[in-house]
Amino acid sequence: MSRHATPFLKAALSALYYSGAGGIAAPFTRGDGVIFMLHRVTPEPVRPFEPNRILKVTPEFLDAVLSQVIEAGYDLLSLDDVPDRIAAGKAERPFACFTLDDGYRDNSEHAFPVFKRYAAPFTVYVPADYMDGRGDLWWLMLERVIDQSSTVTVDMDGAERTFLTDTVSAKDHAYREIYWWLRTISEFEARAVVARLAAGFGLDGDALCAEMMMNWDEVRALAADPLVTIGAHTCRHMSLAKLDADTARHEISASVARVEQELGRPCRHFSYPYGCRNSAGIREFEMVRELGLHTAVTTRKGQIDSHVHEDRLTELPRLSLNGDYQDPRYVKVMMSGMPFRLWNALGRMTGTVEAR
Ligand SMILES: [Zn+2]
């Protein structure tokens, strides 16, 4: 999605909500279920410069979403029950699953009590290196560098560029430019660029990881509750499609093995880092299937249709609970499935959406 799409999408979601179209169409468009995607759940206020605010929602918002989902008649399912539910075809009631990526510490501090209150099962996908305290959280590190600086200089494709970072809007601009450029280059180069910037400001990557992420003891403590499933999310949180086949396969299998070893139980579920079309495609879906995992989730938007996803359990779409859309009205419209149907119909007409 375009980086400038937020105001447009909010207006479109509001229009659908107030027109009532989402509600009227819901029985026909909502599909058989939905898998929600979250990252951070925290009461911490949003700072003026915080581009990664989209990754955090408040416990109150999560609470409102859970109560809305239950009120709308959804069954709350554990991911372990999803393959059978999809295989059974259309059920009387739709289902909802909750998933959280990356293993942020606030998942156990702030998300868990909310899920517990509703007896709602949920899955946390952990990158093995993060739980070892060796994670490379480059998107948060870049935010910290820009936050602390008044100018930032980066060698971008052989040309040195200096960004002013002395005001919030200049910082936002610099972050967008550098972030989206990093997403186009190799994972290894991108991380080296951010590591160099961080070193210049005396910032320590391992310290940031230990501050933000759970360690294995905390993951085990969380997993002791029967509501919790732990899934794998690679070792180093790299875009798999950018890696050669052997490295990509190893990232997946080693992370699954690590979760199994640390938790002493099978790991059946996987989430593709970044999860977009450029990060996970047919090759990765097949790898995950061959490794015997039961489900895998992308960040592609949409709901679950049994007849579509019965044979595509390793490429499941999700619905993001994004920090910029913390309004239960938006969630209601997205659950109706209307935005995705409209989006796909528009894409087919304009040839911008693949028919799959
Ligand atoms: Zn992730």
mmCIF file of all heavy atoms in Angstrom, residues 177-225:
data_model
loop_
_atom_site.group_PDB
_atom_site.id
_atom_site.type_symbol
_atom_site.label_atom_id
_atom_site.label_comp_id
_atom_site.label_asym_id
_atom_site.label_seq_id
_atom_site.Cartn_x
_atom_site.Cartn_y
_atom_site.Cartn_z
ATOM 1 N N GLU A 177 11.923 8.301 3.695
ATOM 2 C CA GLU A 177 12.854 8.155 2.559
ATOM 3 C C GLU A 177 13.847 7.018 2.819
ATOM 4 O O GLU A 177 14.085 6.188 1.960
ATOM 5 C CB GLU A 177 13.629 9.468 2.346
ATOM 6 C CG GLU A 177 12.775 10.619 1.857
ATOM 7 C CD GLU A 177 12.329 10.438 0.420
ATOM 8 O OE1 GLU A 177 13.167 10.042 -0.417
ATOM 9 O OE2 GLU A 177 11.137 10.693 0.136
ATOM 10 N N ILE A 178 14.444 7.034 4.013
ATOM 11 C CA ILE A 178 15.493 6.041 4.297
ATOM 12 C C ILE A 178 14.869 4.649 4.461
ATOM 13 O O ILE A 178 15.365 3.671 3.916
ATOM 14 C CB ILE A 178 16.317 6.446 5.551
ATOM 15 C CG1 ILE A 178 16.986 7.808 5.315
ATOM 16 C CG2 ILE A 178 17.359 5.389 5.878
ATOM 17 C CD1 ILE A 178 17.630 8.423 6.555
ATOM 18 N N TYR A 179 13.749 4.581 5.197
ATOM 19 C CA TYR A 179 13.106 3.286 5.441
ATOM 20 C C TYR A 179 12.754 2.601 4.124
ATOM 21 O O TYR A 179 13.097 1.445 3.912
ATOM 22 C CB TYR A 179 11.838 3.468 6.296
ATOM 23 C CG TYR A 179 11.050 2.181 6.495
ATOM 24 C CD1 TYR A 179 11.315 1.349 7.582
ATOM 25 C CD2 TYR A 179 10.065 1.784 5.588
ATOM 26 C CE1 TYR A 179 10.614 0.164 7.755
ATOM 27 C CE2 TYR A 179 9.362 0.602 5.752
ATOM 28 C CZ TYR A 179 9.642 -0.204 6.837
ATOM 29 O OH TYR A 179 8.948 -1.387 6.993
ATOM 30 N N TRP A 180 12.065 3.322 3.224
ATOM 31 C CA TRP A 180 11.594 2.669 1.988
ATOM 32 C C TRP A 180 12.743 2.344 1.051
ATOM 33 O O TRP A 180 12.684 1.379 0.301
ATOM 34 C CB TRP A 180 10.494 3.504 1.312
ATOM 35 C CG TRP A 180 9.225 3.405 2.105
ATOM 36 C CD1 TRP A 180 8.691 4.344 2.938
ATOM 37 C CD2 TRP A 180 8.366 2.252 2.214
ATOM 38 N NE1 TRP A 180 7.553 3.866 3.542
ATOM 39 C CE2 TRP A 180 7.329 2.592 3.116
ATOM 40 C CE3 TRP A 180 8.373 0.980 1.639
ATOM 41 C CZ2 TRP A 180 6.300 1.699 3.452
ATOM 42 C CZ3 TRP A 180 7.349 0.088 1.971
ATOM 43 C CH2 TRP A 180 6.334 0.452 2.864
ATOM 44 N N TRP A 181 13.822 3.132 1.127
ATOM 45 C CA TRP A 181 15.013 2.775 0.345
ATOM 46 C C TRP A 181 15.635 1.493 0.921
ATOM 47 O O TRP A 181 15.987 0.575 0.165
ATOM 48 C CB TRP A 181 16.025 3.931 0.370
ATOM 49 C CG TRP A 181 17.347 3.532 -0.185
ATOM 50 C CD1 TRP A 181 17.638 3.251 -1.505
ATOM 51 C CD2 TRP A 181 18.557 3.297 0.549
ATOM 52 N NE1 TRP A 181 18.953 2.874 -1.611
ATOM 53 C CE2 TRP A 181 19.538 2.895 -0.375
ATOM 54 C CE3 TRP A 181 18.897 3.407 1.899
ATOM 55 C CZ2 TRP A 181 20.841 2.591 0.009
ATOM 56 C CZ3 TRP A 181 20.191 3.106 2.283
ATOM 57 C CH2 TRP A 181 21.152 2.698 1.342
ATOM 58 N N LEU A 182 15.734 1.384 2.247
ATOM 59 C CA LEU A 182 16.298 0.182 2.866
ATOM 60 C C LEU A 182 15.508 -1.063 2.475
ATOM 61 O O LEU A 182 16.079 -2.135 2.296
ATOM 62 C CB LEU A 182 16.316 0.316 4.401
ATOM 63 C CG LEU A 182 17.301 1.341 4.991
ATOM 64 C CD1 LEU A 182 17.037 1.537 6.477
ATOM 65 C CD2 LEU A 182 18.753 0.895 4.763
ATOM 66 N N ARG A 183 14.191 -0.899 2.331
ATOM 67 C CA ARG A 183 13.365 -2.064 1.979
ATOM 68 C C ARG A 183 13.649 -2.568 0.558
ATOM 69 O O ARG A 183 13.253 -3.673 0.208
ATOM 70 C CB ARG A 183 11.877 -1.727 2.133
ATOM 71 C CG ARG A 183 11.404 -1.552 3.575
ATOM 72 C CD ARG A 183 11.341 -2.868 4.346
ATOM 73 N NE ARG A 183 10.438 -3.833 3.752
ATOM 74 C CZ ARG A 183 9.153 -3.946 4.048
ATOM 75 N NH1 ARG A 183 8.620 -3.167 4.950
ATOM 76 N NH2 ARG A 183 8.399 -4.861 3.461
ATOM 77 N N THR A 184 14.303 -1.723 -0.273
ATOM 78 C CA THR A 184 14.580 -2.156 -1.651
ATOM 79 C C THR A 184 15.932 -2.859 -1.787
ATOM 80 O O THR A 184 16.174 -3.525 -2.770
ATOM 81 C CB THR A 184 14.590 -0.957 -2.636
ATOM 82 O OG1 THR A 184 15.699 -0.097 -2.301
ATOM 83 C CG2 THR A 184 13.292 -0.168 -2.576
ATOM 84 N N ILE A 185 16.840 -2.671 -0.808
ATOM 85 C CA ILE A 185 18.180 -3.255 -0.951
ATOM 86 C C ILE A 185 18.260 -4.563 -0.158
ATOM 87 O O ILE A 185 17.303 -4.937 0.527
ATOM 88 C CB ILE A 185 19.287 -2.268 -0.516
ATOM 89 C CG1 ILE A 185 19.159 -1.920 0.973
ATOM 90 C CG2 ILE A 185 19.227 -0.997 -1.359
ATOM 91 C CD1 ILE A 185 20.282 -1.018 1.505
ATOM 92 N N SER A 186 19.392 -5.261 -0.256
ATOM 93 C CA SER A 186 19.498 -6.561 0.419
ATOM 94 C C SER A 186 19.398 -6.365 1.935
ATOM 95 O O SER A 186 19.778 -5.318 2.463
ATOM 96 C CB SER A 186 20.810 -7.258 0.049
ATOM 97 O OG SER A 186 21.801 -6.996 1.020
ATOM 98 N N GLU A 187 18.893 -7.414 2.593
ATOM 99 C CA GLU A 187 18.745 -7.367 4.055
ATOM 100 C C GLU A 187 20.081 -7.080 4.727
ATOM 101 O O GLU A 187 20.161 -6.310 5.681
ATOM 102 C CB GLU A 187 18.216 -8.697 4.568
ATOM 103 C CG GLU A 187 16.725 -8.878 4.398
ATOM 104 C CD GLU A 187 15.939 -8.192 5.513
ATOM 105 O OE1 GLU A 187 16.540 -7.516 6.375
ATOM 106 O OE2 GLU A 187 14.708 -8.339 5.508
ATOM 107 N N PHE A 188 21.142 -7.719 4.221
ATOM 108 C CA PHE A 188 22.449 -7.594 4.873
ATOM 109 C C PHE A 188 22.979 -6.165 4.744
ATOM 110 O O PHE A 188 23.496 -5.594 5.697
ATOM 111 C CB PHE A 188 23.427 -8.625 4.291
ATOM 112 C CG PHE A 188 22.943 -10.035 4.482
ATOM 113 C CD1 PHE A 188 22.337 -10.725 3.437
ATOM 114 C CD2 PHE A 188 23.054 -10.653 5.719
ATOM 115 C CE1 PHE A 188 21.866 -12.022 3.624
ATOM 116 C CE2 PHE A 188 22.582 -11.953 5.919
ATOM 117 C CZ PHE A 188 21.978 -12.640 4.856
ATOM 118 N N GLU A 189 22.820 -5.596 3.530
ATOM 119 C CA GLU A 189 23.263 -4.208 3.332
ATOM 120 C C GLU A 189 22.443 -3.248 4.193
ATOM 121 O O GLU A 189 22.972 -2.329 4.807
ATOM 122 C CB GLU A 189 23.057 -3.786 1.873
ATOM 123 C CG GLU A 189 24.094 -4.268 0.906
ATOM 124 C CD GLU A 189 23.690 -3.906 -0.520
ATOM 125 O OE1 GLU A 189 23.406 -2.723 -0.778
ATOM 126 O OE2 GLU A 189 23.615 -4.830 -1.355
ATOM 127 N N ALA A 190 21.119 -3.456 4.210
ATOM 128 C CA ALA A 190 20.226 -2.560 4.947
ATOM 129 C C ALA A 190 20.624 -2.524 6.423
ATOM 130 O O ALA A 190 20.705 -1.463 7.042
ATOM 131 C CB ALA A 190 18.776 -3.013 4.795
ATOM 132 N N ARG A 191 20.887 -3.701 6.967
ATOM 133 C CA ARG A 191 21.240 -3.763 8.385
ATOM 134 C C ARG A 191 22.601 -3.121 8.652
ATOM 135 O O ARG A 191 22.813 -2.507 9.696
ATOM 136 C CB ARG A 191 21.200 -5.213 8.856
ATOM 137 C CG ARG A 191 19.757 -5.643 8.973
ATOM 138 C CD ARG A 191 19.569 -7.126 9.026
ATOM 139 N NE ARG A 191 18.149 -7.421 8.900
ATOM 140 C CZ ARG A 191 17.470 -8.161 9.757
ATOM 141 N NH1 ARG A 191 18.056 -8.693 10.782
ATOM 142 N NH2 ARG A 191 16.178 -8.355 9.566
ATOM 143 N N ALA A 192 23.506 -3.278 7.682
ATOM 144 C CA ALA A 192 24.833 -2.663 7.852
ATOM 145 C C ALA A 192 24.705 -1.137 7.852
ATOM 146 O O ALA A 192 25.376 -0.453 8.637
ATOM 147 C CB ALA A 192 25.765 -3.126 6.730
ATOM 148 N N VAL A 193 23.826 -0.607 6.991
ATOM 149 C CA VAL A 193 23.629 0.852 6.932
ATOM 150 C C VAL A 193 23.138 1.360 8.290
ATOM 151 O O VAL A 193 23.675 2.324 8.850
ATOM 152 C CB VAL A 193 22.593 1.219 5.829
ATOM 153 C CG1 VAL A 193 22.159 2.670 5.958
ATOM 154 C CG2 VAL A 193 23.168 0.948 4.441
ATOM 155 N N VAL A 194 22.115 0.688 8.851
ATOM 156 C CA VAL A 194 21.534 1.151 10.117
ATOM 157 C C VAL A 194 22.532 0.946 11.256
ATOM 158 O O VAL A 194 22.648 1.799 12.146
ATOM 159 C CB VAL A 194 20.185 0.450 10.411
ATOM 160 C CG1 VAL A 194 19.630 0.905 11.752
ATOM 161 C CG2 VAL A 194 19.184 0.739 9.290
ATOM 162 N N ALA A 195 23.290 -0.151 11.217
ATOM 163 C CA ALA A 195 24.279 -0.407 12.281
ATOM 164 C C ALA A 195 25.340 0.704 12.295
ATOM 165 O O ALA A 195 25.752 1.159 13.362
ATOM 166 C CB ALA A 195 24.940 -1.770 12.074
ATOM 167 N N ARG A 196 25.746 1.142 11.098
ATOM 168 C CA ARG A 196 26.745 2.231 11.026
ATOM 169 C C ARG A 196 26.170 3.515 11.614
ATOM 170 O O ARG A 196 26.821 4.218 12.384
ATOM 171 C CB ARG A 196 27.165 2.476 9.577
ATOM 172 C CG ARG A 196 28.319 1.579 9.116
ATOM 173 C CD ARG A 196 28.981 2.118 7.856
ATOM 174 N NE ARG A 196 28.073 2.169 6.724
ATOM 175 C CZ ARG A 196 27.818 1.158 5.902
ATOM 176 N NH1 ARG A 196 28.401 -0.013 6.109
ATOM 177 N NH2 ARG A 196 26.982 1.298 4.895
ATOM 178 N N LEU A 197 24.924 3.831 11.237
ATOM 179 C CA LEU A 197 24.282 5.038 11.775
ATOM 180 C C LEU A 197 24.180 4.954 13.298
ATOM 181 O O LEU A 197 24.487 5.910 14.013
ATOM 182 C CB LEU A 197 22.867 5.186 11.187
ATOM 183 C CG LEU A 197 22.746 5.667 9.737
ATOM 184 C CD1 LEU A 197 21.289 5.595 9.280
ATOM 185 C CD2 LEU A 197 23.266 7.101 9.610
ATOM 186 N N ALA A 198 23.753 3.783 13.790
ATOM 187 C CA ALA A 198 23.550 3.600 15.228
ATOM 188 C C ALA A 198 24.873 3.761 15.978
ATOM 189 O O ALA A 198 24.930 4.411 17.031
ATOM 190 C CB ALA A 198 22.944 2.226 15.500
ATOM 191 N N ALA A 199 25.940 3.181 15.412
ATOM 192 C CA ALA A 199 27.252 3.260 16.063
ATOM 193 C C ALA A 199 27.683 4.722 16.201
ATOM 194 O O ALA A 199 28.247 5.119 17.225
ATOM 195 C CB ALA A 199 28.280 2.465 15.260
ATOM 196 N N GLY A 200 27.362 5.521 15.191
ATOM 197 C CA GLY A 200 27.705 6.943 15.220
ATOM 198 C C GLY A 200 27.024 7.681 16.368
ATOM 199 O O GLY A 200 27.489 8.724 16.814
ATOM 200 N N PHE A 201 25.896 7.148 16.831
ATOM 201 C CA PHE A 201 25.169 7.787 17.942
ATOM 202 C C PHE A 201 25.334 7.005 19.252
ATOM 203 O O PHE A 201 24.626 7.253 20.227
ATOM 204 C CB PHE A 201 23.686 7.920 17.594
ATOM 205 C CG PHE A 201 23.420 9.024 16.597
ATOM 206 C CD1 PHE A 201 23.482 8.766 15.233
ATOM 207 C CD2 PHE A 201 23.167 10.318 17.019
ATOM 208 C CE1 PHE A 201 23.274 9.785 14.307
ATOM 209 C CE2 PHE A 201 22.962 11.339 16.105
ATOM 210 C CZ PHE A 201 23.015 11.068 14.741
ATOM 211 N N GLY A 202 26.230 6.029 19.234
ATOM 212 C CA GLY A 202 26.492 5.259 20.451
ATOM 213 C C GLY A 202 25.325 4.361 20.859
ATOM 214 O O GLY A 202 25.173 4.026 22.043
ATOM 215 N N LEU A 203 24.476 3.973 19.900
ATOM 216 C CA LEU A 203 23.323 3.131 20.222
ATOM 217 C C LEU A 203 23.682 1.651 20.060
ATOM 218 O O LEU A 203 24.377 1.276 19.123
ATOM 219 C CB LEU A 203 22.135 3.488 19.312
ATOM 220 C CG LEU A 203 21.570 4.897 19.507
ATOM 221 C CD1 LEU A 203 20.621 5.258 18.372
ATOM 222 C CD2 LEU A 203 20.869 4.999 20.854
ATOM 223 N N ASP A 204 23.183 0.836 20.965
ATOM 224 C CA ASP A 204 23.551 -0.580 21.020
ATOM 225 C C ASP A 204 22.340 -1.449 20.641
ATOM 226 O O ASP A 204 21.311 -1.437 21.313
ATOM 227 C CB ASP A 204 24.020 -0.875 22.456
ATOM 228 C CG ASP A 204 24.362 -2.343 22.665
ATOM 229 O OD1 ASP A 204 24.078 -3.174 21.777
ATOM 230 O OD2 ASP A 204 24.911 -2.662 23.739
ATOM 231 N N GLY A 205 22.478 -2.196 19.525
ATOM 232 C CA GLY A 205 21.380 -3.018 19.005
ATOM 233 C C GLY A 205 20.915 -4.095 19.970
ATOM 234 O O GLY A 205 19.719 -4.313 20.152
ATOM 235 N N ASP A 206 21.872 -4.776 20.608
ATOM 236 C CA ASP A 206 21.499 -5.854 21.532
ATOM 237 C C ASP A 206 20.752 -5.294 22.744
ATOM 238 O O ASP A 206 19.816 -5.911 23.258
ATOM 239 C CB ASP A 206 22.736 -6.627 22.007
ATOM 240 C CG ASP A 206 23.305 -7.489 20.882
ATOM 241 O OD1 ASP A 206 22.637 -7.611 19.836
ATOM 242 O OD2 ASP A 206 24.418 -8.020 21.049
ATOM 243 N N ALA A 207 21.169 -4.100 23.188
ATOM 244 C CA ALA A 207 20.504 -3.487 24.351
ATOM 245 C C ALA A 207 19.056 -3.138 23.982
ATOM 246 O O ALA A 207 18.138 -3.339 24.784
ATOM 247 C CB ALA A 207 21.251 -2.232 24.793
ATOM 248 N N LEU A 208 18.855 -2.638 22.772
ATOM 249 C CA LEU A 208 17.490 -2.307 22.322
ATOM 250 C C LEU A 208 16.627 -3.574 22.270
ATOM 251 O O LEU A 208 15.471 -3.580 22.708
ATOM 252 C CB LEU A 208 17.547 -1.640 20.936
ATOM 253 C CG LEU A 208 16.200 -1.287 20.302
ATOM 254 C CD1 LEU A 208 15.454 -0.237 21.140
ATOM 255 C CD2 LEU A 208 16.385 -0.770 18.870
ATOM 256 N N CYS A 209 17.221 -4.654 21.778
ATOM 257 C CA CYS A 209 16.487 -5.918 21.685
ATOM 258 C C CYS A 209 16.099 -6.423 23.075
ATOM 259 O O CYS A 209 14.947 -6.807 23.312
ATOM 260 C CB CYS A 209 17.349 -6.947 20.952
ATOM 261 S SG CYS A 209 16.500 -8.495 20.670
ATOM 262 N N ALA A 210 17.056 -6.391 23.999
ATOM 263 C CA ALA A 210 16.776 -6.871 25.356
ATOM 264 C C ALA A 210 15.720 -5.999 26.039
ATOM 265 O O ALA A 210 14.920 -6.484 26.838
ATOM 266 C CB ALA A 210 18.068 -6.879 26.174
ATOM 267 N N GLU A 211 15.708 -4.715 25.688
ATOM 268 C CA GLU A 211 14.735 -3.794 26.291
ATOM 269 C C GLU A 211 13.310 -4.069 25.761
ATOM 270 O O GLU A 211 12.340 -4.045 26.512
ATOM 271 C CB GLU A 211 15.160 -2.357 25.931
ATOM 272 C CG GLU A 211 14.170 -1.276 26.311
ATOM 273 C CD GLU A 211 14.511 0.058 25.617
ATOM 274 O OE1 GLU A 211 15.715 0.351 25.411
ATOM 275 O OE2 GLU A 211 13.568 0.791 25.270
ATOM 276 N N MET A 212 13.201 -4.333 24.455
ATOM 277 C CA MET A 212 11.881 -4.403 23.816
ATOM 278 C C MET A 212 11.266 -5.797 23.777
ATOM 279 O O MET A 212 10.046 -5.936 23.725
ATOM 280 C CB MET A 212 11.979 -3.915 22.357
ATOM 281 C CG MET A 212 12.478 -2.502 22.177
ATOM 282 S SD MET A 212 11.353 -1.283 22.872
ATOM 283 C CE MET A 212 9.927 -1.475 21.837
ATOM 284 N N MET A 213 12.114 -6.837 23.695
ATOM 285 C CA MET A 213 11.613 -8.181 23.401
ATOM 286 C C MET A 213 11.645 -9.105 24.615
ATOM 287 O O MET A 213 12.496 -8.961 25.483
ATOM 288 C CB MET A 213 12.468 -8.808 22.282
ATOM 289 C CG MET A 213 12.427 -8.032 20.988
ATOM 290 S SD MET A 213 10.721 -7.922 20.373
ATOM 291 C CE MET A 213 10.945 -6.922 18.922
ATOM 292 N N MET A 214 10.755 -10.089 24.609
ATOM 293 C CA MET A 214 10.794 -11.111 25.653
ATOM 294 C C MET A 214 12.068 -11.941 25.480
ATOM 295 O O MET A 214 12.594 -12.048 24.371
ATOM 296 C CB MET A 214 9.586 -12.055 25.510
ATOM 297 C CG MET A 214 8.266 -11.429 25.874
ATOM 298 S SD MET A 214 6.904 -12.642 25.835
ATOM 299 C CE MET A 214 6.503 -12.672 24.087
ATOM 300 N N ASN A 215 12.529 -12.551 26.568
ATOM 301 C CA ASN A 215 13.574 -13.570 26.439
ATOM 302 C C ASN A 215 12.879 -14.940 26.530
ATOM 303 O O ASN A 215 11.663 -15.005 26.729
ATOM 304 C CB ASN A 215 14.660 -13.381 27.506
ATOM 305 C CG ASN A 215 14.079 -13.419 28.910
ATOM 306 O OD1 ASN A 215 13.197 -14.233 29.202
ATOM 307 N ND2 ASN A 215 14.549 -12.540 29.787
ATOM 308 N N TRP A 216 13.644 -16.016 26.372
ATOM 309 C CA TRP A 216 13.008 -17.352 26.336
ATOM 310 C C TRP A 216 12.283 -17.682 27.644
ATOM 311 O O TRP A 216 11.237 -18.328 27.633
ATOM 312 C CB TRP A 216 14.032 -18.440 26.003
ATOM 313 C CG TRP A 216 14.440 -18.440 24.553
ATOM 314 C CD1 TRP A 216 15.667 -18.110 24.058
ATOM 315 C CD2 TRP A 216 13.621 -18.773 23.420
ATOM 316 N NE1 TRP A 216 15.660 -18.214 22.687
ATOM 317 C CE2 TRP A 216 14.425 -18.623 22.269
ATOM 318 C CE3 TRP A 216 12.298 -19.176 23.268
ATOM 319 C CZ2 TRP A 216 13.951 -18.880 20.973
ATOM 320 C CZ3 TRP A 216 11.813 -19.424 21.977
ATOM 321 C CH2 TRP A 216 12.638 -19.274 20.857
ATOM 322 N N ASP A 217 12.797 -17.230 28.775
ATOM 323 C CA ASP A 217 12.113 -17.496 30.056
ATOM 324 C C ASP A 217 10.729 -16.863 30.042
ATOM 325 O O ASP A 217 9.749 -17.449 30.506
ATOM 326 C CB ASP A 217 12.924 -16.926 31.234
ATOM 327 C CG ASP A 217 14.135 -17.790 31.552
ATOM 328 O OD1 ASP A 217 14.127 -18.972 31.143
ATOM 329 O OD2 ASP A 217 15.079 -17.269 32.186
ATOM 330 N N GLU A 218 10.667 -15.637 29.511
ATOM 331 C CA GLU A 218 9.370 -14.944 29.464
ATOM 332 C C GLU A 218 8.431 -15.621 28.461
ATOM 333 O O GLU A 218 7.217 -15.698 28.685
ATOM 334 C CB GLU A 218 9.587 -13.471 29.098
ATOM 335 C CG GLU A 218 10.268 -12.686 30.219
ATOM 336 C CD GLU A 218 10.780 -11.331 29.750
ATOM 337 O OE1 GLU A 218 11.641 -11.295 28.847
ATOM 338 O OE2 GLU A 218 10.319 -10.308 30.279
ATOM 339 N N VAL A 219 8.985 -16.091 27.352
ATOM 340 C CA VAL A 219 8.155 -16.804 26.363
ATOM 341 C C VAL A 219 7.596 -18.082 26.987
ATOM 342 O O VAL A 219 6.410 -18.391 26.858
ATOM 343 C CB VAL A 219 8.964 -17.143 25.083
ATOM 344 C CG1 VAL A 219 8.136 -17.991 24.125
ATOM 345 C CG2 VAL A 219 9.433 -15.859 24.391
ATOM 346 N N ARG A 220 8.440 -18.813 27.704
ATOM 347 C CA ARG A 220 7.986 -20.048 28.368
ATOM 348 C C ARG A 220 6.908 -19.743 29.401
ATOM 349 O O ARG A 220 5.907 -20.462 29.493
ATOM 350 C CB ARG A 220 9.161 -20.753 29.058
ATOM 351 C CG ARG A 220 9.868 -21.763 28.175
ATOM 352 C CD ARG A 220 10.885 -22.575 28.974
ATOM 353 N NE ARG A 220 11.994 -21.742 29.428
ATOM 354 C CZ ARG A 220 13.076 -21.479 28.682
ATOM 355 N NH1 ARG A 220 13.205 -22.009 27.486
ATOM 356 N NH2 ARG A 220 14.032 -20.693 29.141
ATOM 357 N N ALA A 221 7.085 -18.681 30.158
ATOM 358 C CA ALA A 221 6.088 -18.332 31.184
ATOM 359 C C ALA A 221 4.746 -18.008 30.525
ATOM 360 O O ALA A 221 3.690 -18.430 30.994
ATOM 361 C CB ALA A 221 6.588 -17.139 32.004
ATOM 362 N N LEU A 222 4.792 -17.284 29.411
ATOM 363 C CA LEU A 222 3.557 -16.943 28.693
ATOM 364 C C LEU A 222 2.916 -18.209 28.128
ATOM 365 O O LEU A 222 1.699 -18.418 28.228
ATOM 366 C CB LEU A 222 3.904 -15.961 27.562
ATOM 367 C CG LEU A 222 2.761 -15.392 26.737
ATOM 368 C CD1 LEU A 222 1.813 -14.569 27.616
ATOM 369 C CD2 LEU A 222 3.306 -14.510 25.595
ATOM 370 N N ALA A 223 3.773 -19.080 27.552
ATOM 371 C CA ALA A 223 3.267 -20.284 26.885
ATOM 372 C C ALA A 223 2.682 -21.298 27.877
ATOM 373 O O ALA A 223 2.012 -22.249 27.470
ATOM 374 C CB ALA A 223 4.381 -20.931 26.077
ATOM 375 N N ALA A 224 2.926 -21.080 29.170
ATOM 376 C CA ALA A 224 2.379 -22.008 30.166
ATOM 377 C C ALA A 224 0.861 -21.913 30.219
ATOM 378 O O ALA A 224 0.192 -22.838 30.673
ATOM 379 C CB ALA A 224 2.974 -21.701 31.540
ATOM 380 N N ASP A 225 0.287 -20.808 29.737
ATOM 381 C CA ASP A 225 -1.170 -20.685 29.735
ATOM 382 C C ASP A 225 -1.729 -21.394 28.496
ATOM 383 O O ASP A 225 -1.247 -21.171 27.386
ATOM 384 C CB ASP A 225 -1.576 -19.206 29.705
ATOM 385 C CG ASP A 225 -3.059 -19.047 30.006
ATOM 386 O OD1 ASP A 225 -3.890 -19.426 29.145
ATOM 387 O OD2 ASP A 225 -3.391 -18.584 31.113
#
